[in-house]
């Protein structure tokens, strides 16, 4: 059986073969590929890339990789499908043009649409918790931000809402959809009522299945937030809650996996904060509330460095405005960390409130701080919640179980038994 995966990122082996930088995204896809290595399936990993002018094909360690030029659009995919002749096509992500091209170019009954995030709700919630001015049109700022590689909050929202139109078309064409949460199942039922829905969890990165978090009574209170550079991830809510947390724990520190706001000195700071709209707002807000010295930006982290940050923290905090099944929460649960997470989207499907962690309403003032303080105030309960979270995550994200479920789906849709 041959299955072609249409991805929205360039897999690391292909990136290296082309002399390109390896992207940090797509770890769950790589993990699934590795878990399927012992199963009777031949994978062809295909993606569009702005860095190639013509289709490039490489066979690396038994897997075929294809890089298609963006400039050739749908025609490049049609040619790849004709050459590779896959039995099935699996499309990762719903919001890109190639998702629609795939469903138009290949038998929809032999195509699986794999939900990652969902663009429409992400666009709708992009500016939650921010002042209304962030959604006003700002022609000068938008032009300058674009020229310097930046973007405004409104532009981020518009980009997501534009992608949601493509996403709507993909769902309308789909006949088979995979997801992981009650939230994405409900969304798929409305967006693709003609499609079958299959529940299929994701595999986390390998380092997070080993070792585990341990409570350290001598540890300075440290809160770990895994993303903070786009407003959807809700770092502004953490900063707003920090004064209340610091009132009880004066030495509390928040570690953020991401880049800090631009630092150009006191004279240029107002200009940079204006131009780097969201991160500039975070910097201004933290200074206004007197908590700037409690926030440490780590830069982008690889798996090993991310795991170190988890293990050195008192708790993991997910303050997002919307999520489907955030891998950061899954990794924190695998390590047995105490977790506080916004009760949004698919998060309640991953972690049960009061049993495996604590959930809060991000739109209710004070709840984020109260939830964090509840974990810091009762370290024994926090530890017990973390252990329950670990047991749940080890079952939910078991690589072999997920690989077997994926193969069972392939066999069913392929309509023939697979020979070892």
């Amino acid at each position: 059986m041959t299955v072609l995966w249409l991805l929205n990122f360039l897999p690391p082996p292909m990136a290296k073969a082309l002399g390109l930088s390896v992207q940090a995204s797509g770890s769950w896809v790589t993990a699934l590929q590795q878990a399927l290595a012992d199963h009777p399936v031949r994978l062809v990993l295909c993606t569009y890339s702005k860095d190639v002018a013509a289709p490039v094909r490489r066979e690396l360690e038994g897997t075929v990789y294809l890089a298609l030029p963006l400039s050739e659009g749908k025609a490049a995919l049609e040619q790849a499908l004709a050459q590779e002749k896959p039995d099935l096509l699996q499309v990762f992500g719903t919001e890109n043009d190639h998702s629609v091209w795939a469903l138009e170019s290949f038998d929809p009954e032999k195509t699986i649409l794999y939900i990652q995030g969902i663009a429409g709700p992400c666009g709708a919630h992009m500016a939650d918790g921010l002042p209304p001015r962030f959604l006003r049109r700002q022609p000068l700022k938008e032009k300058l931000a674009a020229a310097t590689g930046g973007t405004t909050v409104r532009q981020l929202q518009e980009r997501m809402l534009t992608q949601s139109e493509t996403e709507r078309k993909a769902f309308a064409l789909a006949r088979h959809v995979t997801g992981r949460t009650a939230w994405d199942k409900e969304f798929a039922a409305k967006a693709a009522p003609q499609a079958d829905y299959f529940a299929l969890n994701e595999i986390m990165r390998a380092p997070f299945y080993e070792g585990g978090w341990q409570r350290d009574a001598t540890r300075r209170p440290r809160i770990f937030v895994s993303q903070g550079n786009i407003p959807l991830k809700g770092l502004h809510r953490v900063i707003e809650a920090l004064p209340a947390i610091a009132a009880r724990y004066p030495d509390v520190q928040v570690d953020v996996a991401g880049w800090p706001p631009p630092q150009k000195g006191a004279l240029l700071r107002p200009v940079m904060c204006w131009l780097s709209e969201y991160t500039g707002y975070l910097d201004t807000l933290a200074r206004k509330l007197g908590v700037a010295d409690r926030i440490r930006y780590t830069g982008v982290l690889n798996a090993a460095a991310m795991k170190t940050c988890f293990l050195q923290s008192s708790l993991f905090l997910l303050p997002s405005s919307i999520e489907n099944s955030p891998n950061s929460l899954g990794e924190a649960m695998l390590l047995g960390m105490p977790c506080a997470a916004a009760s949004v989207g698919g998060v309640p499907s991953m972690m049960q409130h009061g049993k495996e962690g604590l959930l809060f309403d991000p739109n209710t003032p004070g709840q984020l701080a109260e939830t964090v303080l509840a974990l810091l105030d009762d370290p024994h309960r926090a530890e017990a919640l973390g252990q329950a979270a670990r047991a749940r995550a080890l079952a939910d994200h078991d690589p072999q179980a997920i690989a077997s479920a994926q193969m069972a789906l392939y066999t069913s849709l392929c309509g023939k038994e697979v020979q070892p």
Side-chain angles (χ1 to χ4, degrees), residues 80-413:
L81 291 169
Q83 290 177 344
E84 300 299 331
K85 296 181 174 57
D87 297 292
L88 299 172
L89 173 60
Q90 184 157 323
V91 183
F92 289 80
T94 57
E95 73 278 11
N96 297 301
D97 288 335
H98 64 243
S99 302
V100 176
W101 298 340
L103 287 156
E104 291 174 341
S105 303
F106 199 74
D107 182 358
E109 295 295 343
K110 301 292 185 181
T111 303
I112 304 165
L113 188 61
Y114 185 112
I115 297 175
Q116 293 177 176
I118 305 178
C122 287
H125 291 279
M126 180 61 69
D128 284 6
L130 292 176
R133 63 181 171 83
F134 281 96
L135 292 182
R136 296 173 189 156
R137 177 70 67 187
Q138 305 173 82
L140 177 59
K141 182 185 287 189
E142 290 170 9
K143 184 176 181 179
L144 290 173
T148 57
T151 185
T152 66
V153 175
R154 182 186 174 97
Q155 287 173 315
L156 285 172
Q157 182 184 63
E158 289 179 339
R159 183 184 304 165
M160 283 289 184
L161 294 178
T162 298
Q163 289 180 327
S164 74
E165 290 301 307
T166 302
E167 183 174 74
R168 180 185 59 78
K169 295 175 184 177
F171 273 114
L173 293 169
R175 295 295 179 269
H176 309 293
V177 174
T178 66
R180 294 161 298 288
T181 66
W183 180 69
D184 72 22
K185 183 177 182 179
E186 180 180 0
F187 187 94
K190 294 176 181 178
Q194 77 288 346
D196 296 323
Y197 177 94
F198 302 92
L200 188 72
N201 279 324
E202 290 182 328
I203 303 172
M204 302 293 105
R205 292 178 288 184
F208 296 92
Y209 289 87
E210 303 171 357
W213 180 89
Q214 293 183 341
R215 183 170 64 89
D216 183 353
T218 66
R219 176 186 289 134
R220 173 187 183 182
R222 293 175 68 173
I223 300 167
F224 183 52
V225 179
S226 61
Q227 229 278 19
N229 292 127
I230 61 172
L232 191 68
K233 298 300 182 179
L235 183 56
H236 51 284
R237 292 193 177 95
V238 181
I239 294 173
E240 291 168 349
L242 257 181
I245 298 169
R248 194 174 305 175
Y249 292 93
D251 58 342
V252 68
Q253 175 178 308
V254 175
D255 290 339
V256 182
W259 298 113
Q263 300 297 326
K264 297 292 184 179
L267 291 178
L268 288 178
R269 182 176 295 123
V271 176
M272 296 307 299
C273 284
W274 177 78
L275 189 57
S276 302
E277 188 175 59
Y278 180 62
T279 55
Y281 173 73
L282 296 178
D283 184 63
T284 300
L285 181 63
R287 292 176 186 278
K288 176 182 176 181
L289 297 177
V291 295
D293 61 339
R294 302 180 189 281
I295 303 169
R296 183 179 74 95
Y297 292 88
T298 67
V300 176
L301 303 174
N302 61 23
M306 181 79 80
K307 181 178 179 180
T308 297
C309 275
F310 276 125
L311 297 180
Q312 292 178 346
S313 300
S314 307
L315 62 93
F316 172 67
L317 174 59
L318 181 83
S320 302
S321 297
I322 197 70
E323 292 277 3
N324 185 23
S325 58
N327 284 3
S328 57
L329 179 59
E331 291 174 346
M333 292 174 68
L334 276 173
L335 292 174
M337 283 198 71
C339 296
S343 184
V344 296
V347 172
S349 292
M350 292 185 68
M351 187 177 77
Q352 185 175 342
H353 176 66
K355 181 178 178 181
E356 297 146 353
L358 298 181
L359 300 177
F360 59 88
D361 179 357
N363 297 311
T364 299
Q367 272 205 18
L368 188 158
E370 291 170 4
T371 303
V372 168
L373 289 171
L375 291 174
L376 294 176
D377 288 348
D378 192 345
H380 294 287
R381 183 193 182 205
E383 185 176 21
L385 290 171
Q387 288 303 307
R390 176 174 170 79
R392 164 78 180 272
L394 285 170
D396 284 354
H397 304 293
D398 177 75
Q400 293 309 313
I402 293 170
S404 295
Q406 182 73 84
M407 283 303 303
L409 176 58
Y410 287 163
T411 302
S412 173
L413 297 184

